[in-house]
């Protein structure tokens, strides 16, 4: 049996070598916090099976931390792009588009629910694992390249 929680949580670790190469201590610390928040949330979530809530924190709070750090990183990335537009390379644009597509494919059931109020059948577990893991990889790659 595929343990979605562990695979998706571990997909965050792919970006750790990229973060380690960042010279800016604040950016590095923020990205590590975002990785930690995402990892803890995905370990604890119960979308497909019982989660591993290592810190005994409510799932809602873990999701809030995950989203808050993701939003913070997103805002900082956009500010960096605004002040240093040359950081937005063709490679980053392609990876950002890929990240958006992967997130959409992994969460289309939740996106549809938010937009229409109509609940769809859950995204297939394997599809979720593959595309949400790729979302993490592409999104953190883009963030680290902009913030390095």
């Amino acid at each position: 049996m595929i343990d979605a929680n562990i695979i998706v949580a571990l997909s965050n670790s792919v970006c750790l070598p990229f973060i380690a190469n960042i010279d800016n201590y604040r950016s590095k610390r923020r990205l590590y916090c975002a990785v930690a928040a995402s990892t803890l949330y995905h370990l604890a979530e119960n979308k497909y099976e019982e989660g591993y809530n290592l810190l005994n924190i409510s799932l809602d709070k873990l999701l809030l931390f995950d989203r808050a750090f993701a939003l913070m990183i997103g805002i900082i990335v956009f500010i960096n792009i605004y002040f240093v537009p040359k950081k937005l390379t063709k490679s980053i644009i392609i990876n950002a588009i890929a990240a958006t597509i992967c997130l959409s494919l992994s969460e289309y059931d939740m996106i549809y629910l938010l937009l229409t109020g109509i609940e769809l059948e859950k995204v297939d577990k394997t599809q979720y694992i593959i595309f949400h893991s790729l979302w993490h990889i592409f999104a953190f790659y883009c963030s680290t390249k902009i913030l390095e």
Side-chain angles (χ1 to χ4, degrees):
M1 184 164 134
I2 299 172
D3 193 322
N5 298 59
I6 292 175
I7 294 170
V8 174
L10 287 176
S11 70
N12 286 297
S13 67
V14 172
C15 70
L16 294 176
F18 297 118
I19 296 173
N21 289 330
I22 295 176
D23 292 329
N24 183 311
Y25 177 73
R26 282 186 175 159
S27 293
K28 187 181 286 196
R29 187 177 60 205
R30 288 175 180 138
L31 284 162
Y32 281 138
C33 287
V35 169
S38 180
T39 300
L40 289 171
Y41 170 71
H42 286 296
L43 281 173
E45 77 176 318
N46 53 14
K47 189 169 187 169
Y48 293 99
E49 59 247 346
E50 189 67 30
Y52 308 96
N53 195 338
L54 304 175
L55 300 177
N56 201 24
I57 299 173
S58 78
L59 201 55
D60 289 340
K61 286 182 183 173
L62 288 171
L63 180 58
L64 180 64
F65 288 134
D66 181 29
R67 289 182 176 167
F69 278 108
L71 181 62
M72 177 189 63
I73 295 298
I75 291 169
I76 293 167
V77 163
F78 281 113
I79 290 169
N80 272 264
I81 291 169
Y82 179 79
F83 286 108
V84 188
K86 68 180 180 183
K87 286 187 173 190
L88 189 60
T89 64
K90 186 177 180 178
S91 171
I92 290 174
I93 292 169
I94 291 168
N95 280 283
I97 291 169
T100 304
I101 291 168
C102 289
L103 180 62
S104 299
L105 290 172
S106 74
E107 299 280 0
Y108 71 80
D109 55 338
M110 296 306 298
I111 295 168
Y112 193 81
L113 176 63
L114 288 171
L115 294 176
T116 66
I118 300 170
E119 201 166 327
L120 295 177
E121 186 177 322
K122 259 193 299 193
V123 172
D124 175 71
K125 181 179 175 179
T126 304
Q127 179 177 337
Y128 174 77
I129 291 169
I130 292 168
F131 288 106
H132 207 79
S133 295
L134 287 171
W135 148 250
H136 287 159
I137 294 165
F138 285 125
F140 277 120
Y141 173 80
C142 292
S143 299
T144 56
K145 289 301 171 190
I146 294 290
L147 298 175
E148 64 182 7

